Amino acid sequence: QVQLVESGGGLVQVGDSLRLSCAISGRTSSEFRMAWFRRAPGKEREFVAGRRWSGTGTYYADSLKGRFTISRDNANNMLYLQIDLLRLEDTAVYYCAADPRYAGTWHNENEYTYWGQGTQVTVSS
């Protein structure tokens, strides 16, 4: 079993930056795929960014490239999502997710086995 706990959300203003954290515990491996998703009010959950627990490749939703950066700290079992120049439309619950398989479709939420409870990000003007 793998447990994921997000933190770092809150109320911010347009133009601010924010770093979300995901603490990972349990049995993981270098093959795990890790990702951030978000669900905005009234919308379906969408893929934001992903990377494998090992390696250097990162993957982003085409519509969100440029302001989001996914990173990890393997030594401390942490996954991060840096969000810069926050916009009103970034208001959402942000989720950390993990898939034990090395290969898959990054944006397909059904492929992820483990999920955190989410952290709320609210952007105000």
Side-chain angles (χ1 to χ4, degrees), residues 1 5 10 15 19 28 34-35 37-38 44 55 66 76 80 85-86 89 92 102-103 106 114 122-124:
Q1 282 289 343
V5 179
R19 189 177 79 161
T28 61
M34 308 297 301
F37 285 75
R38 70 181 186 181
E44 295 186 350
N76 293 299
Y80 301 105
L85 298 174
L86 278 152
E89 55 264 37
Y102 184 80
W106 287 99
Y114 305 105
T122 302
V123 185
S124 70

Side-chain angles (χ1 to χ4, degrees), residues 2 4 18 36-37 61 70 77 79 84 100 113 115:
V2 173
L4 308 173
L18 195 64
W36 286 95
F37 285 75
I70 186 171
N77 288 339
L79 185 74
D84 296 318
T113 303
W115 291 86

Side-chain angles (χ1 to χ4, degrees), residues 48-125:
V48 176
R51 69 175 305 150
R52 292 187 176 86
W53 198 235
S54 65
T56 58
T58 56
Y59 308 86
Y60 296 93
D62 288 340
S63 61
L64 301 177
K65 285 180 179 178
R67 297 188 298 114
F68 293 79
T69 304
I70 186 171
S71 62
R72 69 171 192 267
D73 178 350
N74 292 54
N76 293 299
N77 288 339
M78 297 292 293
L79 185 74
Y80 301 105
L81 182 69
Q82 175 75 28
I83 313 173
D84 296 318
L85 298 174
L86 278 152
R87 303 172 180 173
L88 293 174
E89 55 264 37
D90 294 323
T91 294
V93 178
Y94 286 75
Y95 297 91
C96 178
D99 175 15
R101 297 165 296 182
Y102 184 80
T105 305
W106 287 99
H107 63 267
N108 186 354
E109 63 174 298
N110 296 318
E111 295 188 7
Y112 293 83
T113 303
Y114 305 105
W115 291 86
Q117 83 289 348
T119 185
Q120 175 73 48
V121 173
T122 302
V123 185
S124 70
S125 57

